Amino acid sequence: MPIPDLPTPTGGETYDVNQKPPPFGHPLKYYFALDDDYINLNHGSYGTLPLPLVFATARMGYEIERNPDKYHRLVLRPGLLEKARESLAKFLEVETDEVVLVPNATHALNTVLRNFEWREGDVLIGATTTYDAVSNTIRYLADRSEQPRPEAVTIAYNFPLTHAQIVNIFRATLREIKQQHSGTSFTDVPPLSPGYVAPAHPADPPRGNKIVAVIDSIVANPGVFMPWKEMVRICREEGVWTVIDAAHSIGQEPDINLTESKPDFWLSNRHKWLYAKRGCAVLYVPRRNQYIIKSSIPTSHNYLPPTDPEAKVKGTDFAKQHEWTGTADTVPFVTIPDALAFRHWLGGEKVINDYCHKLALEGGKRLAEVMGTQVMDETGELTLNMVSMRVLRLSSRGYELSDRRSKSDSSTDIAYRAQSNVALPLPAEKTPGEVYTREQLHKINLHLRHKLLNEWNAYAAHYFHAGRWWCRCSAQVFNEISDFEYLGKAFDAICKEVEETILSESSDGRSKRD
């Protein structure tokens, strides 16, 4: 029985490129599959697929199933994959064969870190704000029983901080590491660093020890835009390899231009902010560093051993290796051009980011007003589409403001971008355990999650950082100020419940009033 044609797209599943889109805000929800009454201020976690992309991905899946062999053997490679990589390369201003597609940012990061040939004395740097899976990857590489393995070093960032403060902490840590390892010869440096010596052959082992720094471009929690380009420059001067975890960048951070910024490795999720289907990420490795990536993960049919004579010409054949790492759903990859086309119809990157940036600033301030708290970024100079707020102890509830700084303090020039971090109306603690036990923190997190989703039908990320509870709101083209106001009412009510239940319990689980 022949497979019937896919139905013609209707309503928000399609759009006329010759007509202007509706105004940004709630009218644009017509083009997204969100429930009508769901308030989504957490686009930054999983992305939100527009209806035209829902239809495009379904159509592509349908076409694949009509003739799987033809698709996988003739259509996918190099045709559709090449087209997708070309669109990404143009977006990032790099060469097509310097970018490959992988399922997610964590996969991309593991591809890089597990391809380094580690030696005893090597140093691998993360941060207290590094994404958990990435931090655990660093920890795992340092914990392995077999030798050699790197030493893991963690930089402490306690926000709010200015870009200048972040840079100073980072530079000081690099120099401190070198001082603490004064007997170690850190001569395995990136090709653009002073003192680099190219290996005579791809199979040659690295010379001396190395320092590798994993740097966030935008921290997940809090939603902080890091001065990663300046940090890359410092690393280049210091002979330190850079791996930029830019999971939140593409589609949110303007003017990335990797050819100009020159990171050693860079990776970003496409499904978070660029409207691609989950899961879809890009890994950028400039030609100068592709000799490091000897194998895709998992190792593919196109693995090229460094001892193979072809390696002298093709190197590691980086792009070819990543074309096929086993049977997988490639629909998120090959529909990337559809996502970019929809964004172009909406007005393009600048129009989208200008709206989301403005909404993040104004929405964050309004959310703080509703809850009686405060935004983390008071100046708004460095906010993109996620807004952050500082935790307050409200005097009306018997608390007092924790760690308030004057507007003249330079720390108000805080590094935030497209997400807003906003203080929740819960107590802040100056020392660990002063207010919250680990069990209470866990209970509060679950309580917030269940109440927001099941009773209020809304969501924004919430987390505990530096002794305070925060929420992180992601502004998107379908959001309006009223969404922030509704979320504020939800958080305010739920936090009152937390105080009256979880925080009123003694260590044995009984109410302190008993």
Side-chain angles (χ1 to χ4, degrees):
M1 178 179 176
I3 300 175
D5 289 334
L6 195 66
T8 302
T10 59
E13 294 175 337
T14 187
Y15 58 95
D16 186 345
V17 296
N18 296 314
Q19 292 186 356
K20 290 184 178 181
F24 284 7
H26 291 171
L28 209 57
K29 290 182 74 174
Y30 178 76
Y31 289 96
F32 288 84
L34 297 167
D35 288 342
D36 290 339
D37 56 351
Y38 175 55
I39 304 300
N40 182 10
L41 282 167
N42 192 35
H43 176 89
S45 284
Y46 310 111
T48 308
L49 198 63
L51 279 170
L53 267 294
V54 173
F55 187 87
T57 55
R59 179 183 59 203
M60 179 57 66
Y62 212 172
E63 292 301 320
I64 292 171
E65 297 312 317
R66 287 177 181 272
N67 194 328
D69 276 285
K70 182 177 181 180
Y71 172 79
H72 288 100
R73 297 180 186 277
L74 300 179
V75 178
L76 175 63
R77 297 172 290 163
L80 293 181
L81 276 181
E82 183 82 2
K83 183 179 178 181
R85 291 196 302 112
E86 284 176 353
S87 66
L88 277 176
K90 182 179 179 180
F91 194 95
L92 299 172
E93 302 188 55
V94 297
E95 297 178 27
T96 300
D97 283 345
E98 292 181 318
V99 296
V100 294
L101 300 168
V102 293
N104 55 64
T106 304
H107 186 117
L109 182 125
N110 272 263
T111 298
V112 175
L113 294 188
R114 292 172 190 265
N115 266 287
F116 272 112
E117 294 190 9
W118 299 105
R119 298 165 60 99
E120 284 300 304
D122 288 349
V123 177
L124 180 53
I125 302 173
T128 52
T129 50
T130 299
Y131 186 64
D132 281 350
V134 175
S135 182
N136 285 339
T137 300
I138 294 172
R139 187 71 266 165
Y140 163 74
L141 291 172
D143 285 345
R144 297 190 329 172
S145 59
E146 64 265 33
Q147 303 285 355
R149 56 178 179 255
E151 173 189 343
V153 174
T154 301
I155 301 177
Y157 295 123
N158 291 310
F159 293 95
L161 292 170
T162 67
H163 269 183
Q165 289 170 329
I166 294 169
V167 167
N168 289 338
I169 291 170
F170 183 71
R171 182 189 286 111
T173 301
L174 294 185
R175 293 177 177 175
E176 183 180 352
I177 289 171
K178 290 184 176 181
Q179 290 175 357
Q180 292 175 349
H181 298 77
S182 57
T184 302
S185 178
F186 291 112
T187 54
D188 181 2
V189 300
L192 298 182
S193 291
Y196 170 75
V197 178
H201 188 275
D204 289 350
R207 297 187 177 97
N209 288 104
K210 59 183 164 289
I211 302 174
V212 178
V214 177
I215 301 169
D216 285 315
S217 63
I218 300 175
V219 176
N221 289 317
V224 178
F225 176 68
M226 299 287 279
W228 67 270
K229 293 182 180 180
E230 175 67 9
M231 296 164 83
V232 165
R233 186 190 64 77
I234 292 170
C235 285
R236 191 160 54 244
E237 294 174 354
E238 296 287 341
V240 174
W241 294 86
T242 54
V243 182
I244 307 303
D245 182 358
H248 280 274
S249 279
I250 194 166
Q252 178 180 189
E253 180 185 350
D255 305 320
I256 295 173
N257 195 334
L258 298 181
T259 297
E260 183 179 273
S261 55
K262 296 180 176 62
D264 293 312
F265 305 92
W266 187 94
L267 50 104
S268 185
N269 282 319
R270 285 293 311 271
H271 58 255
K272 283 184 179 292
W273 290 91
L274 211 63
Y275 302 161
K277 187 179 189 294
R278 308 173 198 92
C280 183
V282 57
L283 169 60
Y284 162 74
V285 181
R287 290 187 183 276
R288 66 182 182 272
N289 293 332
Q290 290 182 6
Y291 73 96
I292 297 290
I293 311 299
K294 294 181 173 63
S295 172
S296 60
I297 293 182
T299 301
S300 78
H301 291 282
N302 294 312
Y303 171 69
L304 187 61
T307 54
D308 191 305
E310 287 192 51
K312 293 183 179 180
V313 178
K314 297 182 178 180
T316 62
D317 213 359
F318 172 68
K320 189 74 174 178
Q321 278 201 61
H322 286 82
E323 279 188 357
W324 185 264
T325 58
T327 304
D329 183 6
T330 56
V331 169
F333 298 168
V334 301
T335 52
I336 286 173
D338 296 276
L340 292 175
F342 181 70
R343 292 176 70 84
H344 179 74
W345 177 67
L346 290 180
E349 298 307 305
K350 186 178 188 308
V351 171
I352 293 171
N353 285 313
D354 282 353
Y355 177 84
C356 295
H357 171 65
K358 184 173 183 290
L359 182 60
L361 291 174
E362 296 178 354
K365 291 178 180 178
R366 182 63 187 130
L367 177 58
E369 290 173 358
V370 171
M371 295 192 297
T373 61
Q374 187 177 0
V375 295
M376 205 180 263
D377 180 11
E378 293 181 342
T379 66
E381 294 179 7
L382 299 171
T383 298
L384 275 183
N385 307 341
M386 300 190 288
V387 63
S388 304
M389 292 192 183
R390 197 182 295 170
V391 170
L392 301 174
R393 294 187 171 187
L394 304 180
S395 58
S396 62
R397 297 183 187 170
Y399 307 132
E400 58 186 44
L401 175 63
S402 175
D403 194 30
R404 179 183 289 275
R405 304 185 186 189
S406 69
K407 292 185 178 181
S408 62
D409 191 325
S410 62
S411 66
T412 58
D413 182 24
I414 306 168
Y416 302 91
R417 303 304 268 173
Q419 295 167 316
S420 56
N421 296 273
V422 183
L424 295 184
L426 289 170
E429 61 182 22
K430 294 182 178 179
T431 58
E434 178 187 2
V435 177
Y436 305 97
T437 65
R438 291 185 64 179
E439 183 180 2
Q440 285 177 323
L441 291 173
H442 178 67
K443 285 184 177 181
I444 292 171
N445 190 54
L446 291 180
H447 189 81
L448 290 168
R449 181 184 304 169
H450 285 283
K451 289 288 183 176
L452 284 170
L453 290 171
N454 293 329
E455 296 186 10
W456 289 86
N457 202 22
Y459 204 73
H462 42 83
Y463 57 95
F464 191 75
H465 171 74
R468 301 166 172 83
W469 277 100
W470 317 76
C471 68
R472 184 203 72 191
C473 299
S474 303
Q476 194 44 259
V477 292
F478 48 73
N479 290 125
E480 295 181 356
I481 289 291
S482 61
D483 296 335
F484 289 82
E485 293 173 338
Y486 179 83
L487 183 72
K489 295 175 183 177
F491 269 126
D492 203 48
I494 298 170
C495 287
K496 287 179 181 178
E497 294 177 9
V498 168
E499 293 179 53
E500 294 169 356
T501 56
I502 298 173
L503 292 184
S504 67
E505 294 177 355
S506 59
S507 59
D508 61 2
R510 300 177 60 186
S511 173
K512 292 180 180 178
R513 300 186 185 93
D514 293 349

